[in-house]
């Protein structure tokens, strides 16, 4: 009997390509769908007339900010000798390769080859240019079908620009498949992991609902004692960590995730969290996490500013514990050659279905070997293999303070 692959076909592959609990295709072999807007850098990391190297699913991307202030995104290789364009020089709105000074427009087309005389030969068309937009202090690119970019909306985050909220920004690399991150945030039954910072929390699933692209869960949190971190109380307006009951709503709306918490007796959430998990490497075993934590300002002027360091320290510690767990899950997947998880929580089984249904098959890296370089746009990540992945610039190894 053959086993199903990530695209649902039979291949005769080992049983490691199946989810042990469901018999379905191994979710950790499903790629992120490129036909969405993905953040690939903090806006402040792409400085004026500078180039920034990043990546999506193994495809290297060079971001540069032209003289006008606009950000452009190009495939990170010169069509001439394949030297990374992220090593290049910005001149006006063009990017010039550091090697032979070939110049590229923001759409990836070659604008100049300095030493090429008329009739010396037909130059290549250039490299792939990505649709790019800036919002919420982030640089988003559309790595999929560029015709879909114009009709695909950015996530809507009204709290980001609100004068009633202050935003904390997170950016770091996590060494795991992006699906582990969705599962971690949705499954609040893992609060034992955070017992050192939030004490003993009892999460009760009030209910959840699913759709073709989404899963939304509501939890009631009650504190059952134990040591609590002051930053937790400040973040939740004396909610989590106090003696109240708080309602937390978490939603995976493919490919993003959100969370908000409404303290007891409150009418509005104390904070909103928006997160995106962007695969870096071609095999998608590493993702870059971008998070925006939008915290409602209390009635006392300046109170949130004073509380900011404590809230930052609390969130960093919680994230560090979550990262430890999901990276351990990824190591186990690699050691065992597949997903041997025995998941029993219906909510997580449903979010896995959503991630499978909206993802794309991962293809072997060798599939790109026959692609002619320097003669047009590169393959779409996720639909065809890109080259080996690289770390996404200096922001990938540590959190970047925000707010």
């Amino acid at each position: 009997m053959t086993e199903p692959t990530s695209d649902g076909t039979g291949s005769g592959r080992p049983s490691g390509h199946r989810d042990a609990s469901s018999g379905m295709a191994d979710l950790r072999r499903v790629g992120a769908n490129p036909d969405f807007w993905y953040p690939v850098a903090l806006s402040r990391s792409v400085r004026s007339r500078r180039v920034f190297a990043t990546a999506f699913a193994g495809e290297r991307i060079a971001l540069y900010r032209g003289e006008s202030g606009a950000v452009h995104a190009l495939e990170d290789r010169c069509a001439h000798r394949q030297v990374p364009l992220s090593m290049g020089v910005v001149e006006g709105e063009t990017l010039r390769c550091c090697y032979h000074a070939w110049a590229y427009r923001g759409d990836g087309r070659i604008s100049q080859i300095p030493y090429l005389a008329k009739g010396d030969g037909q130059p290549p068309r250039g490299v792939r240019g990505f649709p790019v937009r800036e919002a919420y202090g982030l640089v988003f690119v559309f790595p999929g079908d560029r015709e879909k970019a114009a009709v695909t909306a950015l996530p809507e985050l009204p709290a980001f620009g609100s004068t009633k909220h202050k935003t904390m920004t997170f950016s770091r690399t996590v060494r795991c498949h992006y699906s582990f991150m969705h599962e971690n945030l949705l499954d609040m039954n893992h609060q034992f992991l955070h017992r050192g910072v939030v004490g003993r929390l009892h999460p009760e699933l009030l209910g959840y609902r699913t759709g073709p692209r989404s899963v939304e869960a509501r939890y009631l949190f009650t504190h059952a004692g134990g040591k609590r971190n002051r930053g937790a109380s400040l973040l939740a307006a004396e909610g989590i960590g106090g003696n109240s009951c708080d309602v937390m709503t978490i939603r995976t709306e493919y490919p993003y995730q959100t969370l908000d918490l409404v303290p007891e007796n409150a009418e509005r959430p104390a904070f909103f969290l928006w997160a995106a998990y962007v695969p870096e490497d071609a095999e998608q075993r590493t993702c870059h996490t971008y998070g925006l934590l939008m915290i409602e300002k209390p009635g006392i002027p300046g109170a949130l500013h004073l509380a900011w360091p404590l809230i930052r320290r609390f969130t960093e510690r919680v994230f560090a514990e979550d990262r430890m767990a999901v990276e351990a899950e990824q190591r186990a997947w690699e050691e065992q050659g597949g997903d041997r998880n025995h998941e029993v929580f219906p909510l997580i089984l449903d979010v896995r279905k959503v991630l499978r249904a909206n993802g794309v098959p991962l293809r072997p890296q060798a599939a790109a070997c026959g692609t002619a370089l320097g003669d047009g746009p590169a393959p779409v990540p996720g639909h065809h293999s890109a080259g080996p992945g690289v770390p996404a610039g200096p922001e990938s190894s540590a959190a970047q303070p925000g707010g």
Side-chain angles (χ1 to χ4, degrees), residues 248-270:
M248 180 178 288
T249 303
I250 310 164
R251 182 179 180 87
T252 286
E253 179 73 34
Y254 193 92
Y256 316 118
Q257 201 163 37
T258 61
L259 178 153
D260 66 65
L261 181 137
V262 179
E264 188 176 28
N265 299 321
E267 296 180 357
R268 298 185 306 274

Side-chain angles (χ1 to χ4, degrees), residues 46-49 64-72 92-93 134:
V46 188
R47 301 175 184 174
S48 178
R49 291 176 289 183
Y64 73 95
R65 192 179 295 278
E67 193 172 37
S68 69
V71 176
H72 307 284
E93 297 302 312
E134 280 192 271

Side-chain angles (χ1 to χ4, degrees), residues 46-47 49-52 62-66 70-74 90-95 104-107:
V46 188
R47 301 175 184 174
R49 291 176 289 183
R50 303 290 289 273
V51 194
F52 182 84
L63 302 175
Y64 73 95
R65 192 179 295 278
V71 176
H72 307 284
L74 303 181
V90 179
E91 295 180 355
E93 297 302 312
T94 64
L95 178 58
Y104 295 84
R105 300 186 183 95
D107 61 2

